[in-house]
Amino acid sequence: MIKVSNLKKSYKNNQVLKDISFHVDEGEVVAIIGPSGSGKSTLLRCLNFLENPNEGHIEIGGVSVDTTKAAKKEIHQLRLQTSMVFQHYNLFKNITALKNVSHPLRVTKKLDKKKAEAIGRHLLEQVGLSNKADHYPISLSGGQQQRVGIARALAVNPNAILFDEPTSSLDPEWVGEVLRVISGIADKDKTMIIVTHEMNFAREVADRVIFMDDGSIVEQGTPEEVFDSPANDRTKRFLRDYQRQITGKADNKNERFAIV
Amino acid sequence: MNFNFKYMFEIIPELLTYVPVTLYIAIASMIIAIIIAIFLSLILVNRIPVLHQLALVYISFFRGTPPLVQLLMIYFGLPQLLPSFNSITAMTAAILAFSLNVSAYLAEIFRAGLESVDKGQAEAALTTGMTYSQALRSIILPQAARNAIPATGNTFLGLLKNTSLAFTIGVTELLAQGKLLATATLHFFEAYMAVALIYWGLTALYSWLQSWYEKKISKAYVREI
């Protein structure tokens, strides 16, 4: 389904992706974890050319692109293979929730208004937002906006959906509902790549976990392999720090509660 | 004090018959200017080589020289340079001059409007399979327009008043007719005051229309309770 070979990306002298190769099978859910600045999001954004890779080969759903000499048309074809859910939702601010889902269908698939909106309403219902169809993004909570974002990504019915830290800018109270919606899709055999900081979620939803550090894939395997018996020292350190941070947070809370 | 109120109000109906000429120059110039400015602003935002530098020179020139000088250059100077402009009418020259002049101001306003739209909007559109021009039309331009409308309105008000310069090359618009009446009757103050009142009325009406329109298109950006 997705095959990436020898992908490289630098900003000036800073090499962000160092010769990345990996593949994702059809229907597989892959979680990419790793410290901030390790290149996770850049890797995801190279797959749909929101960032231009410097070198390497990307193949998604039968469309194969040599990134050193990608023509506009090829890039467009590659983009049609995936859709994306963004950290900051990026809902179209000038149109309603329903139109956010249906408008791309009208433009890219030339569906008539009725058909596109029927699909839109169906998907909004799936993410539990039928009653918000006519609301503009500004009137929706973060969690609701992200669920519309997921409906929009589903609408174009791509070969794969890319999730770029879908819960990182959500208030804690909304994280659960968004993760539930994503898990719901994962169960339906959609191919997905999820960049996330939610380790428990990654363990639960992913078929495979990729750990990235400093622009390289350091380790990958089933969630059990990576989380329970990591082989690489960097993975171990990252998971230990993560664990400490999580429990540390809890301790702080307890202390504060104790003082109150 | 010698001020004839009665005369001033008497000539207003006659002057009003020239308002369509003034509006025609203003609106025609505005439409052409908007079209030119959209292209210029897209060149600026996307930093298209060569065209970008040319656009900057164009904007600098038309913002940096008086509109009256531009008007005279086009009406009297252009036919000398290019004989095919020999038969250019004063009206066409005026509309051409104002279009070029206003487009330079609008290009900067539109550029700022486009740049104020979050990059994520275009990215999201691309990931749903839209092309850049599809994203531009339905997602980016509407949002940029909303940001640009207050400043664009100001520019239109300036243009509406600047159309009075057209009388210098012989277009009989509102001011030209006022001047005619003034010199014919020697009621200078009354005639020019009547002209001023009509301009004031037009700009006030336009300002009101604009604030109504701004409210209308802000619907998407105001949180419902």
Side-chain angles (χ1 to χ4, degrees):
Chain A
M1 167 60 56
I2 300 178
K3 198 170 162 227
V4 173
S5 341
N6 309 103
L7 199 69
K8 289 177 189 166
K9 168 76 182 167
S10 335
Y11 297 106
K12 288 186 182 149
N13 293 327
N14 181 16
Q15 202 174 5
V16 200
L17 296 178
K18 300 170 181 163
D19 201 24
I20 299 261
S21 300
F22 73 102
H23 67 95
V24 180
D25 293 330
E26 177 133 25
E28 198 180 14
V29 176
V30 171
I32 304 180
I33 61 168
S36 305
S38 57
K40 311 181 295 287
S41 287
T42 308
L43 172 59
L44 207 61
R45 289 164 60 84
C46 279
L47 296 183
N48 53 17
F49 269 79
L50 290 185
E51 307 285 347
N52 280 333
N54 301 115
E55 254 181 75
H57 209 273
I58 300 174
E59 188 185 325
I60 305 175
V63 176
S64 159
V65 173
D66 179 354
T67 61
T68 43
K69 47 181 181 191
K72 248 188 185 165
K73 221 173 166 185
E74 287 178 290
I75 293 175
H76 183 66
Q77 282 304 318
L78 189 73
R79 279 189 183 134
L80 290 175
Q81 305 305 312
T82 59
S83 62
M84 191 173 230
V85 174
F86 295 85
Q87 180 180 353
H88 299 290
Y89 335 129
N90 292 7
L91 291 192
F92 305 132
K93 290 178 188 159
N94 57 326
I95 50 182
T96 60
L98 176 62
K99 291 233 169 83
N100 261 275
V101 185
S102 67
H103 178 75
L105 292 174
R106 298 195 60 195
V107 177
T108 62
K109 308 213 159 157
K110 310 287 178 223
L111 294 188
D112 62 48
K113 191 175 172 185
K114 224 171 145 191
K115 233 183 224 162
E117 294 200 343
I119 296 173
R121 281 185 200 282
H122 175 70
L123 286 168
L124 285 182
E125 198 187 316
Q126 269 193 23
V127 298
L129 288 172
S130 315
N131 57 336
K132 300 288 182 189
D134 298 322
H135 285 58
Y136 286 96
I138 193 164
S139 303
L140 301 176
S141 73
Q144 290 168 340
Q145 289 193 48
Q146 193 57 300
R147 278 144 69 196
V148 175
I150 294 169
R152 178 176 68 182
L154 282 168
V156 289
N157 197 21
N159 279 319
I161 304 183
L162 313 173
F163 292 83
D164 187 10
E165 306 196 22
T167 59
S168 294
S169 53
L170 286 173
D171 287 338
E173 54 182 316
W174 308 122
V175 171
E177 64 182 47
V178 170
L179 293 183
R180 268 195 300 282
V181 168
I182 300 174
S183 305
I185 308 163
D187 290 341
K188 284 184 189 145
D189 281 342
K190 242 320 167 219
T191 311
M192 312 197 318
I193 303 180
I194 308 172
V195 168
T196 184
H197 289 295
E198 302 276 341
M199 298 307 149
N200 289 329
F201 172 66
R203 177 196 282 267
E204 215 175 277
V205 80
D207 300 314
R208 188 149 50 94
V209 175
I210 292 178
F211 173 71
M212 275 183 78
D213 191 17
D214 199 23
S216 308
I217 292 178
V218 174
E219 184 166 358
Q220 55 176 310
T222 65
E224 290 73 30
E225 286 166 358
V226 174
F227 288 123
D228 297 336
S229 46
N232 190 288
D233 281 342
R234 281 196 279 179
T235 320
K236 284 179 194 162
R237 199 178 325 124
F238 171 73
L239 290 172
R240 200 171 52 230
D241 288 349
Y242 177 77
Q243 209 56 42
R244 198 175 291 153
Q245 193 197 348
I246 294 285
T247 47
K249 259 186 201 161
D251 284 344
N252 280 341
K253 234 182 233 169
N254 287 340
E255 259 175 43
R256 207 173 300 154
F257 282 133
I259 291 165
V260 169
Chain B
M1 194 179 73
N2 176 16
F3 184 78
N4 191 339
F5 269 104
K6 195 163 158 281
Y7 177 74
M8 186 179 84
F9 287 113
E10 266 172 14
I11 60 169
I12 283 182
E14 192 190 336
L15 288 172
L16 282 177
T17 60
Y18 289 87
V19 165
V21 183
T22 291
L23 286 181
Y24 172 68
I25 301 173
I27 292 170
S29 307
M30 193 67 184
I31 291 170
I32 300 169
I34 286 174
I35 294 168
I36 301 172
I38 287 176
F39 283 106
L40 286 174
S41 61
L42 288 174
I43 290 170
L44 293 180
V45 170
N46 293 303
R47 301 183 172 279
I48 300 169
V50 187
L51 289 180
H52 183 226
Q53 283 76 22
L54 288 175
L56 288 176
V57 173
Y58 173 95
I59 291 166
S60 172
F61 178 81
F62 281 102
R63 292 208 305 181
T65 53
L68 182 55
V69 174
Q70 295 163 13
L71 187 62
L72 296 173
M73 276 178 68
I74 284 173
Y75 186 54
F76 296 110
L78 218 49
Q80 176 199 328
L81 226 60
L82 305 161
S84 55
F85 279 91
N86 260 333
S87 55
I88 192 169
T89 64
M91 178 66 109
T92 311
I95 290 174
L96 183 59
F98 294 135
S99 300
L100 298 178
N101 177 266
V102 171
S103 70
Y105 286 90
L106 290 184
E108 283 294 339
I109 293 170
F110 291 179
R111 179 193 56 77
L114 283 169
E115 281 174 354
S116 72
V117 178
D118 176 24
K119 234 180 101 207
Q121 297 285 304
E123 288 186 349
L126 292 176
T127 61
T128 62
M130 289 191 222
T131 61
Y132 181 67
S133 63
Q134 287 169 337
L136 204 58
R137 247 174 296 156
S138 55
I139 305 298
I140 300 165
L141 283 181
Q143 293 182 48
R146 174 179 174 262
N147 296 331
I149 275 172
T152 304
N154 278 342
T155 308
F156 181 72
L157 286 184
L159 168 64
L160 192 62
K161 291 175 288 175
N162 273 348
T163 56
S164 60
L165 293 173
F167 107 94
T168 57
I169 58 168
V171 179
T172 317
E173 41 65 75
L174 186 53
L175 176 61
Q177 186 57 21
K179 185 173 164 28
L180 213 70
L181 291 172
T183 42
T185 61
L186 300 181
H187 286 302
F188 290 103
F189 196 85
E190 291 86 342
Y192 290 130
M193 190 66 197
V195 168
L197 285 178
I198 291 173
Y199 277 115
W200 192 11
L202 288 175
T203 53
L205 181 69
Y206 173 77
S207 301
W208 178 81
L209 272 176
Q210 174 166 331
S211 56
W212 169 81
Y213 183 65
E214 274 175 32
K215 251 186 228 139
K216 191 178 138 174
I217 61 162
S218 291
K219 205 178 69 188
Y221 308 90
V222 180
R223 193 184 276 267
E224 290 165 43
I225 307 153

